[in-house]
Amino acid sequence: MPTKVWIPLLVMLGGISWLAFTNLGKANYFFPVDEMPASGDPIYEHSLKVKGRIVVGSIIDEKKPVIFKIHEKDKEMEVHYVGTEPLPDMFKDRAETVVEGRMRMDGVFEAVNVQAKCASKYEAAGPDVQDAAENTYGQPAPNTI
Amino acid sequence: MEHLGSFSLILALALAIFGTISAFLAAIYARERFRLVAVRSYVGVAVLVLIAVVSLGYLLMNDKFSLVYIYNHSNVALPWYYKITAVWAGSQGSLMWWTLITVAYTCIFLFFTRKAPKLMMSWALVFVGMSLIFFLLINNLVAPPFNFWGQSVGGVDPVAFVPRDGRGLNPQLQHWGMIIHPPMLYTGYIGFLYPFALAMGALITRMEGREWIRLIRNWTLAAWGILGAGIVLGGAWAYMELGWGGYWAWDPVENASFMPWLLATGFVHSVMAQEKRGMFKLWNVLLITSTFLMCLVGTGITRSGMISSVHAFAESDIGWYFLGYIIANSLLAGWIIFARRDQLRDDNRYQSETSREVGLLFNNVLFVVICITMFLATIYPMITEAYGDKRELRHGFYNTVEIPIFLALMALMAVGPILTWKRTSPKLIRERFLIPSIIGLLVTIGALFLFGVIRTSPLAFMSEMLYPAISVGVLTFLGITIFQEFWVVVGRRSKRAGEFWPTAFISVVRMNKRRYGGFLAHFGILLVAIGLTGAAFNKQDKKDLGIGEVMEVGGYTFMVQDMGFNRTDNFSAMHAEVTLLKDGKKLKTFHPEQRVYLASEMTASEVAISETIMRDFYVVLAGSATESTKEHLIGTFHIYVNPLVVWVWIGSFITTFAIGLCMLPDKVPVRATSSVTAGNEEPA
């Protein structure tokens, strides 16, 4: 291969790798609520993504910020949503959510972005249906594409 | 009917195994009779799978909620067409639908390859058969769509349980884009099985490189075009239905569909070098193999639940089956490629750095690099989790890293097709690139000032508008070179054949469909890129408004004229009428809705969009505000003004059309009176 070919090729690849590595810092830390490291850890310094289910009846959607709690197993976390986007359609009790933002020193999570997956609809259909469905599928099966 | 469906699936699996074994025997012993047995078995499999799918459709139409799948994905009040689409709305159904597409595609494949070399076809059929077995195994064992309530619980008495109504189809799937997008994507994915199988067959039977590459060309182009169209349809659906004002979010599932497309794009370009110059042989085989496998990797990682995505897939062990199949295939393909490495040596070397070969090399390196960086970024949560805390990369990373590579590709797209094989004369380079590159550079500099990149600070290297500014310059460069190419050849044709220029344009394209089909495809991509660049200028705002109140977005005034509620059997909705005002006059009227689907109790926004050549007006009614009362309705409105979006759809359409054009055989039109060909270049 002529020198005039592989030198620009290497320069190009080098440039792309440089861009990629310098931007790795943009990564979010991602935790389920119950695996959040205890306070004191450097969690306050990073942008975080936390996954959990919305605690039933915890949503206070009267004024800004919208306040709600998410939990995973027995651990709960209070979230204040300060973002500008409207909350997603699926945002309601028991919905599985991923909140993005940062942890405040007082233990409240300040979210700038909230994603929600389909709420478990089995509860609404009554206990029989829920049990049957969960037995068959092992877990509630959300719609898929 | 329930039993008919599951019975057909079992029989189909048995027949697929039988067919694959006979294909294998046909390949080893070179027996034509065995090959015919395999062909007939595969057709039989197709019929059986069709029966299974039709029976699922029939059961959905008849609301048989005794089936778990139907209970989960349909309800009585659902319109009939959505009941049919519910066939592929859930995990189990969509995997069976995938099998149906595979068998249907296989039938088409068998028909069009009936004259292909027999022995090579036998080997290709082995690979096709393995894929059929794999999908049917999944349908039968891992994700059976015909399960009754309580049926799959081992040892527990089946519950005699028939719900009266189903939970309904996910409202977000109730949209025409969602009807077409998944089948389209699956067709694109599975389409790469056939070029891969043919390539393997050709390698095993030691077919000549230039010959088999021609044989698989159209199969690759078809799969590539369909996959591309499927991806765009997915974006269109997200844009029109989801109400977040965008069409691409670098979500793992989106990336999973885009990565094989990138590799395939590299492949359809680099095959030219193999066909014309006998180069890139090993590379091409590796590319087509990894394209096919990448189609399955995406499904594997997203459905296994290893990576979370906004696409709500039921997490299950399906992904692991996919990964197993991928590993098996890659080992097999790797072994075959290794055993035939002597056949994959290049016939020629690079002769000059201004040759088209070098252009193609850069093209391929860039496409593969995009794919690799995307892949690593997509599985970054898995990598980091293995070494400590799980971390995720967001769209900011992708935008910063991938956009410059795409811009480089755009510049290359301007240069590459004009370069000639072996060496490009300096005269041609001067003629074609000097003026366009000067103009492109000036436009870039202008844009840097205009968009405020340079003005803010001379050192603001990573300014948000840096990429859009460069993009404008690069696209100008690309646009001029494409225009110039057509200007030169159409002008020449028009002069020599005495044709009016639109006629001359059509004759030029018809006489060299591959070259000018390619230019048209590039032109479509140019339009798409213009649309994507427009996203840098999106404006949006969100406000709570009562009737008669106004909000301003990007210099446009929107006024709420009316609000109210209505109800159908399927959903109840809050609706609004919003007008776009200019100088007190109504320019456009929007009717956004916020629906609550009764069966599923899910809410969904019906976005009101007005697409125009210059910009989209995108109005979302996000629901009623908290201070809203019955007498004084107050709605939460989210309004976007997105420039140039429509060009993404138009450009994609042109590119898809052009890919179809490239697949047609070249014929000299009878009407042409002159014997002079259109271009001085040899056909691409």
Side-chain angles (χ1 to χ4, degrees):
Chain A
M1 218 188 288
T3 326
K4 280 186 189 166
V5 174
W6 63 259
I7 288 182
L9 211 57
L10 282 182
V11 170
M12 208 169 65
L13 291 178
I16 294 166
S17 319
W18 173 78
L19 260 184
F21 280 109
T22 49
N23 278 287
L24 279 182
K26 288 190 176 170
N28 270 327
Y29 281 90
F30 188 102
F31 303 104
V33 180
D34 56 328
E35 286 173 24
M36 283 279 283
S39 357
D41 278 306
I43 49 164
Y44 304 109
E45 292 155 23
H46 293 284
S47 148
L48 302 174
K49 256 188 173 181
V50 183
K51 191 183 96 176
R53 278 186 189 279
I54 296 178
V55 176
V56 178
S58 70
I59 302 175
I60 307 169
D61 189 6
E62 278 153 15
K63 55 177 180 8
K64 286 215 157 174
V66 177
I67 297 170
F68 58 99
K69 284 182 182 163
I70 60 175
H71 76 103
E72 195 74 49
K73 292 181 190 129
D74 56 346
K75 205 178 162 194
E76 283 188 4
M77 182 178 83
E78 190 174 322
V79 184
H80 290 191
Y81 174 63
V82 296
T84 51
E85 302 274 316
L87 286 159
D89 289 340
M90 317 278 189
F91 183 83
K92 51 170 83 165
D93 286 354
R94 292 194 188 87
E96 190 183 310
T97 54
V98 174
V99 294
E100 200 177 330
R102 53 177 209 93
M103 196 75 192
R104 289 204 319 232
M105 295 301 266
D106 59 358
V108 170
F109 191 85
E110 211 170 80
V112 290
N113 184 20
V114 174
Q115 283 176 6
K117 272 190 195 173
C118 263
S120 174
K121 293 168 283 178
Y122 293 95
E123 279 85 353
D128 294 346
V129 180
Q130 184 189 358
D131 290 344
E134 294 202 346
N135 283 339
T136 315
Y137 279 83
Q139 62 173 62
N143 286 327
T144 63
I145 52 165
Chain B
M1 275 311 251
E2 297 91 324
H3 298 289
L4 179 68
S6 46
F7 186 66
S8 312
L9 282 182
I10 296 172
L11 210 60
L13 174 61
L15 199 56
I17 296 174
F18 173 72
T20 310
I21 293 173
S22 25
F24 187 63
L25 292 176
I28 288 197
Y29 298 112
R31 292 284 158 78
E32 173 64 1
R33 272 187 19 225
F34 284 131
R35 193 185 69 87
L36 287 175
V37 170
V39 168
R40 284 165 200 162
S41 311
Y42 292 170
V43 175
V45 173
V47 173
L48 288 166
V49 174
L50 183 66
I51 291 173
V53 170
V54 168
S55 70
L56 183 61
Y58 175 85
L59 293 165
L60 275 161
M61 290 297 283
N62 286 288
D63 300 322
K64 293 277 190 233
F65 298 118
S66 52
L67 290 185
V68 180
Y69 182 81
I70 294 178
Y71 167 76
N72 276 330
H73 300 290
S74 179
N75 62 302
V76 177
L78 196 68
W80 65 269
Y81 41 91
Y82 287 132
K83 284 184 181 170
I84 292 178
T85 60
V87 167
W88 62 85
S91 182
Q92 297 82 9
S94 72
L95 284 160
M96 183 167 73
W97 183 255
W98 203 337
T99 313
L100 177 73
I101 290 171
T102 313
V103 291
Y105 212 129
T106 303
C107 288
I108 297 170
F109 175 70
L110 290 171
F111 179 77
F112 280 104
T113 50
R114 63 194 184 282
K115 286 176 186 152
K118 299 271 189 293
L119 190 61
M120 181 206 67
M121 274 307 292
S122 305
W123 282 111
L125 288 184
V126 174
F127 281 89
V128 173
M130 280 176 2
S131 182
L132 292 179
I133 294 174
F134 168 71
F135 279 111
L136 283 163
L137 271 176
I138 296 257
N139 294 148
N140 276 293
L141 300 178
V142 193
F146 293 101
N147 269 7
F148 294 98
W149 286 101
Q151 192 186 21
S152 64
V153 186
V156 178
D157 288 332
V159 193
F161 175 76
V162 180
R164 258 169 293 160
D165 199 356
R167 286 168 54 231
L169 182 64
N170 183 339
Q172 297 182 330
L173 304 185
Q174 300 186 22
H175 181 262
W176 65 266
M178 214 53 218
I179 299 176
I180 321 173
H181 156 67
M184 199 82 162
L185 219 49
Y186 290 156
T187 314
Y189 283 163
I190 209 62
F192 286 107
L193 167 64
Y194 305 92
F196 164 69
L198 285 173
M200 288 298 122
L203 272 187
I204 296 171
T205 55
R206 291 189 175 278
M207 223 169 137
E208 215 271 313
R210 296 183 197 210
E211 205 177 319
W212 68 258
I213 212 87
R214 225 164 271 160
L215 202 68
I216 72 169
R217 182 171 177 272
N218 274 6
W219 294 105
T220 320
L221 283 177
W224 179 58
I226 293 168
L227 181 61
I231 295 170
V232 175
L233 275 172
W237 164 75
Y239 184 66
M240 291 168 192
E241 188 70 359
L242 294 187
W244 55 281
Y247 38 79
W248 188 261
W250 299 105
D251 178 78
V253 173
E254 294 168 1
N255 293 353
S257 67
F258 197 38
M259 289 187 289
W261 186 86
L262 290 168
L263 292 180
T265 312
F267 180 76
V268 295
H269 287 93
S270 67
V271 285
M272 283 190 280
Q274 179 162 348
E275 219 176 307
K276 303 288 175 199
R277 303 269 299 131
M279 293 167 77
F280 294 5
K281 285 185 190 170
L282 175 64
W283 177 248
N284 283 335
V285 178
L286 289 174
L287 260 188
I288 191 66
T289 307
S290 40
T291 304
F292 171 59
L293 295 177
M294 197 49 106
C295 288
L296 302 172
V297 165
T299 313
I301 52 178
T302 48
R303 293 212 188 194
S304 63
M306 284 183 277
I307 288 174
S308 64
S309 153
V310 290
H311 291 69
F313 280 108
E315 288 183 9
S316 66
D317 43 7
I318 290 174
W320 299 106
Y321 286 83
F322 269 83
L323 291 185
Y325 177 71
I326 292 161
I327 292 168
N329 261 298
S330 37
L331 289 177
L332 199 58
W335 177 47
I336 293 167
I337 293 169
F338 183 74
R340 291 287 182 270
R341 60 193 181 281
D342 55 314
Q343 234 191 311
L344 295 170
R345 278 197 204 103
D346 284 354
D347 303 344
N348 288 300
R349 291 173 173 283
Y350 298 95
Q351 296 187 352
S352 146
E353 66 278 357
T354 57
S355 62
R356 179 173 300 172
E357 294 91 309
V358 170
L360 290 171
L361 173 78
F362 274 84
N363 158 310
N364 269 250
V365 168
L366 289 174
F367 273 112
V368 171
V369 165
I370 297 179
C371 182
I372 291 174
T373 48
M374 265 178 84
F375 181 71
L376 291 177
T378 307
I379 63 164
Y380 193 65
M382 288 164 70
I383 302 172
T384 46
E385 198 175 21
Y387 293 100
D389 292 331
K390 190 172 178 179
R391 305 183 68 182
E392 253 187 9
L393 291 164
R394 290 166 298 168
H395 59 269
F397 176 84
Y398 292 101
N399 284 341
T400 326
V401 178
E402 312 298 2
I403 289 176
I405 315 182
F406 279 110
L407 290 179
L409 274 169
M410 290 287 155
L412 193 61
M413 195 193 264
V415 179
I418 290 162
L419 297 178
T420 47
W421 298 107
K422 294 178 188 171
R423 183 170 173 276
T424 311
S425 70
K427 182 169 164 277
L428 186 67
I429 293 178
R430 264 199 312 279
E431 262 177 20
R432 291 301 187 84
F433 300 133
L434 189 64
I435 295 170
S437 52
I438 291 174
I439 296 177
L441 211 61
L442 289 177
V443 171
T444 311
I445 294 168
L448 284 172
F449 277 104
L450 196 66
F451 300 167
V453 180
I454 290 183
R455 195 174 40 202
T456 45
S457 143
L459 293 171
F461 179 64
M462 277 301 173
S463 155
E464 262 176 40
M465 297 311 275
L466 177 69
Y467 290 165
I470 298 174
S471 174
V472 171
V474 169
L475 296 182
T476 309
F477 176 53
L478 172 61
I480 296 173
T481 53
I482 293 176
F483 179 77
Q484 204 181 16
E485 169 77 15
F486 279 114
W487 179 263
V488 170
V489 292
V490 170
R492 194 181 296 148
R493 167 83 195 176
S494 166
K495 208 189 250 173
R496 292 191 190 168
E499 288 173 349
F500 186 44
W501 68 265
T503 327
F505 174 79
I506 292 170
S507 341
V508 160
V509 174
R510 279 179 66 183
M511 274 188 292
N512 197 343
K513 294 195 193 72
R514 288 185 63 175
R515 181 175 174 89
Y516 294 106
F519 270 100
L520 269 184
H522 285 179
F523 177 65
I525 296 294
L526 165 69
L527 296 184
V528 172
I530 290 174
L532 297 179
T533 308
F537 302 92
N538 287 353
K539 295 274 185 297
Q540 53 153 311
D541 200 8
K542 184 195 161 199
K543 261 191 183 140
D544 293 342
L545 300 176
I547 295 171
E549 292 182 321
V550 293
M551 73 189 273
E552 205 181 278
V553 183
Y556 294 88
T557 310
F558 296 85
M559 184 177 197
V560 181
Q561 302 288 349
D562 192 20
M563 270 187 278
F565 292 93
N566 62 337
R567 195 186 166 94
T568 70
D569 285 347
N570 197 16
F571 56 83
S572 68
M574 174 180 183
H575 61 86
E577 187 181 309
V578 179
T579 49
L580 170 60
L581 299 173
K582 196 184 179 186
D583 308 328
K585 271 190 288 180
K586 290 181 188 176
L587 277 187
K588 288 176 194 305
T589 309
F590 302 88
H591 293 100
E593 277 182 30
Q594 179 72 18
R595 291 179 180 172
V596 178
Y597 284 80
L598 304 174
S600 55
E601 296 181 2
M602 288 164 84
T603 53
S605 313
E606 281 293 302
V607 189
I609 307 175
S610 159
E611 294 213 277
T612 67
I613 300 287
M614 284 308 287
R615 56 185 63 80
D616 281 15
F617 301 99
Y618 188 104
V619 181
V620 183
L621 174 57
S624 55
T626 38
E627 56 270 29
S628 174
T629 59
K630 266 197 178 145
E631 292 77 41
H632 296 281
L633 282 173
I634 299 172
T636 304
F637 290 88
H638 201 161
I639 299 179
Y640 300 79
V641 177
N642 297 339
L644 302 172
V645 175
V646 75
W647 295 103
V648 176
W649 320 133
I650 296 175
S652 308
F653 182 79
I654 292 177
T655 303
T656 312
F657 171 79
I659 293 169
L661 202 66
C662 290
M663 291 168 65
L664 298 173
D666 272 327
K667 254 187 261 167
V668 178
V670 191
R671 281 187 301 134
T673 44
S674 161
S675 62
V676 178
T677 51
N680 54 347
E681 304 82 1
E682 50 182 305

